[in-house]
Amino acid sequence: MPRRLFVSVLAIMLGIALSFPAGAVEEIKIGVLYPLTGGAAAEGKELRDGAELATEIANNAKSELSMTMAKNAGIKSLGGAKIKLIIQDHQGNPQLGADLAKKLIQDDKVVGLMGAYHSAVTKTVAAVAERYGVPLINESSTSPALTKEGNKWFWRTTPHDTTFTNDLFVFLEGLTQGKVKGVKAFDKKDLLPVVSACEKTEWGSNVDAAIKELGKAKGFEPQVSLLYAAKAPDLSSEVQSLLAPKPGTMLFAGYGADAILMVKTLKSMKAKPKVIWGQDAGFESPEFVSTLGDDVEGILTRTVFSPRVGDVKKVAKEVNDLYKAKTGRDLSGASARSFTATQAWVHILEKAGSTKPEAIQKAANDIKIDADELIVPWKGIKFSTSGQDLGQNELGTGMIGQYQKGKDGKMILEIVYPFELATTNMIYPVKGW
């Protein structure tokens, strides 16, 4: 090569090299574990769609959106590197989840993990992440025990069930005191007795414990509390036991198919409680509404998102519009949480400026994402770095929605708690069957 040409080529190559940060990479692989088949497939697909939309926004500048990650095309501190999600189906199986996590780390060389919805699966995946020193951001598993293991490679953006269950009892107390929009104060005895039924896995068992502990403290201790086998073909005997004391309030925790079967069984036995509440999961899946139709009207579920949040947060409406254009559906609690966790990954990678595990770990422990950036109505994201709830987002808050039929005849989740964010009058009592 002639000397002049060689020098020119060398200069161009040097220029290109200097235009990128020292740690620049072309692609950042994140392994994602969701249940895409089985009883919680609908929720898994919601989670996948939310994560994919956030990735699309992070990889392609959308300056019209009111959030920082939409301003850059890729991770700016890593030379514009794009995020690539490698999504795997764990089928709700804890052992399969652990095996897939190991494969993602060893074979696909992911820099981090996200998932895994079922708390029992997340527990095994977190153990793998801890063993290999790979960061795991969890968006949707709410067993409080997950952040009490002392893990150094686990962070959780969503509030957990202690927060959500405490919200429930504050809500019930406020309901009797006239704090809920559209409902006058009444005697607490009208909501008694309380009964509960939770599926018997890591998640449901912890919800059951939280209901008993926090309910007792607020004077709503369940008179009947059941743990039932997940994916049970029949719930008749369980519902008979729950209805025996003529409950005023019925509380449930179940995944997709279980939640639908529970409501169908309540209807077949003409249940008439005044309040029915579900701990998210199956009670907020798209199939819950599409399968049960008008029978869900008046049912409450805890959540972190409703399209109504868009009435008070501009960025929530902007992202919901994009999601609806992409999928034909509004964001749900599941898709909003996976969107938010992916967004947290983007902020952490920007701050780390590296894909080395130790740099990501430090950035996750130092990160603070403001409430204005988020589509969920939280105070922000900041992970605990000490105490008994290690890695838990300290700024997450809960919400309770109620299914109501809109003027267009479609069912929508109206906000009834926090009281100050209520979007309509609550239907009380629930009509029953």
Side-chain angles (χ1 to χ4, degrees):
M1 180 183 295
R3 179 180 173 80
R4 183 175 295 175
L5 178 59
F6 174 77
V7 171
S8 299
V9 170
L10 184 63
I12 292 170
M13 292 178 67
L14 191 60
I16 292 172
L18 291 174
S19 67
F20 290 94
V25 293
E26 292 183 357
E27 189 175 74
I28 302 166
K29 296 178 184 176
I30 296 176
V32 183
L33 296 142
Y34 290 144
L36 298 174
T37 56
E43 294 95 316
K45 289 169 185 170
E46 282 287 303
L47 289 159
R48 178 198 61 195
D49 291 348
E52 287 183 341
L53 177 61
T55 303
E56 184 181 321
I57 291 171
N59 286 341
N60 304 281
K62 292 183 181 294
S63 57
E64 69 275 17
L65 288 180
S66 312
M67 55 175 51
T68 302
M69 80 167 181
K71 308 303 179 190
N72 304 313
I75 305 300
K76 189 176 179 181
S77 67
L78 288 168
K82 309 294 186 188
I83 291 177
K84 180 181 180 180
L85 302 182
I86 302 179
I87 301 175
Q88 300 288 337
D89 174 19
H90 62 58
Q91 303 171 23
N93 182 329
Q95 183 56 53
L96 179 58
D99 292 343
L100 290 170
K102 202 180 301 180
K103 176 184 177 300
L104 286 164
I105 294 168
Q106 292 184 325
D107 298 345
D108 297 301
K109 310 296 182 189
V110 297
V111 304
L113 298 166
M114 192 163 74
Y117 187 63
H118 296 88
S119 292
V121 181
T122 301
K123 187 175 182 178
T124 61
V125 172
V128 172
E130 198 70 12
R131 193 182 316 143
Y132 286 90
V134 172
L136 165 60
I137 305 286
N138 169 254
E139 74 294 277
S140 57
S141 305
T142 52
S143 168
L146 291 170
T147 40
K148 299 186 187 303
E149 301 283 335
N151 290 336
K152 297 178 179 177
W153 298 94
F154 181 82
W155 297 267
R156 173 162 54 188
T157 51
T158 182
H160 58 52
D161 287 326
T162 300
T163 299
F164 288 131
T165 308
N166 185 64
D167 286 343
L168 162 67
F169 292 115
V170 170
F171 167 77
L172 290 179
E173 199 169 47
L175 178 60
T176 67
Q177 296 168 345
K179 293 181 179 178
V180 174
K181 191 172 182 179
V183 183
K184 294 181 180 178
F186 59 87
D187 196 315
K188 183 178 181 177
K189 291 179 181 176
D190 289 356
L191 295 181
L192 302 178
V194 174
V195 299
S196 66
C198 304
E199 57 89 58
K200 193 167 50 178
T201 68
E202 168 81 17
W203 172 62
S205 299
N206 277 286
V207 173
D208 176 70
I211 286 175
K212 288 175 181 171
E213 180 185 346
L214 298 171
K216 184 177 182 180
K218 293 284 188 182
F220 290 108
E221 186 177 15
Q223 182 169 324
V224 178
S225 59
L226 303 175
L227 285 172
Y228 63 90
K231 305 174 187 175
D234 185 272
L235 293 171
S236 298
S237 62
E238 286 83 357
V239 171
Q240 283 176 347
S241 298
L242 293 171
L243 295 181
K246 298 182 178 178
T249 301
M250 304 188 79
L251 311 177
F252 299 103
Y255 291 115
D258 293 343
I260 292 171
L261 179 59
M262 184 62 78
V263 173
K264 284 183 174 179
T265 311
L266 289 172
K267 181 180 180 181
S268 71
M269 296 191 185
K270 302 186 185 306
K272 284 197 174 298
K274 293 185 173 64
V275 169
I276 299 175
W277 173 88
Q279 183 76 294
D280 192 63
F283 284 80
E284 208 196 345
S285 72
E287 289 178 348
F288 185 71
V289 176
S290 63
T291 303
L292 297 171
D294 289 355
D295 287 333
V296 306
E297 188 167 29
I299 292 177
L300 301 166
T301 179
R302 63 89 165 158
T303 184
V304 299
F305 190 85
S306 157
R308 290 288 191 238
V309 175
D311 295 345
V312 293
K313 292 198 77 168
K314 180 184 174 186
V315 70
K317 183 179 186 316
E318 291 172 343
V319 174
N320 190 51
D321 287 347
L322 285 175
Y323 187 81
K324 199 165 185 176
K326 184 180 174 72
T327 67
R329 308 184 303 275
D330 286 312
L331 281 162
S332 64
S335 49
R337 283 192 289 185
S338 60
F339 181 96
T340 303
T342 309
Q343 184 181 13
W345 255 117
V346 173
H347 280 256
I348 289 167
L349 288 166
E350 283 288 10
K351 189 174 183 67
S354 168
T355 55
K356 292 181 179 177
E358 294 77 13
I360 295 174
Q361 182 186 49
K362 184 176 187 313
N365 287 333
D366 292 344
I367 201 83
K368 166 75 167 63
I369 305 175
D370 293 336
D372 292 346
E373 295 275 342
L374 305 178
I375 62 172
V376 288
W378 301 344
K379 296 175 183 174
I381 293 177
K382 186 178 188 311
F383 298 112
S384 171
T385 56
S386 61
Q388 295 185 344
D389 233 0
L390 205 61
Q392 176 62 40
N393 176 20
E394 299 174 321
L395 303 179
T397 54
M399 201 168 78
I400 296 174
Q402 183 179 49
Y403 289 107
Q404 296 192 16
K405 191 182 284 187
K407 292 178 181 176
D408 59 0
K410 294 181 180 177
M411 206 63 72
I412 190 167
L413 205 53
E414 297 282 0
I415 302 170
V416 295
Y417 178 87
F419 306 125
E420 66 275 15
L421 295 182
T423 50
T424 192
N425 292 340
M426 178 183 170
I427 297 173
Y428 176 83
V430 63
K431 64 179 181 180
W433 299 279

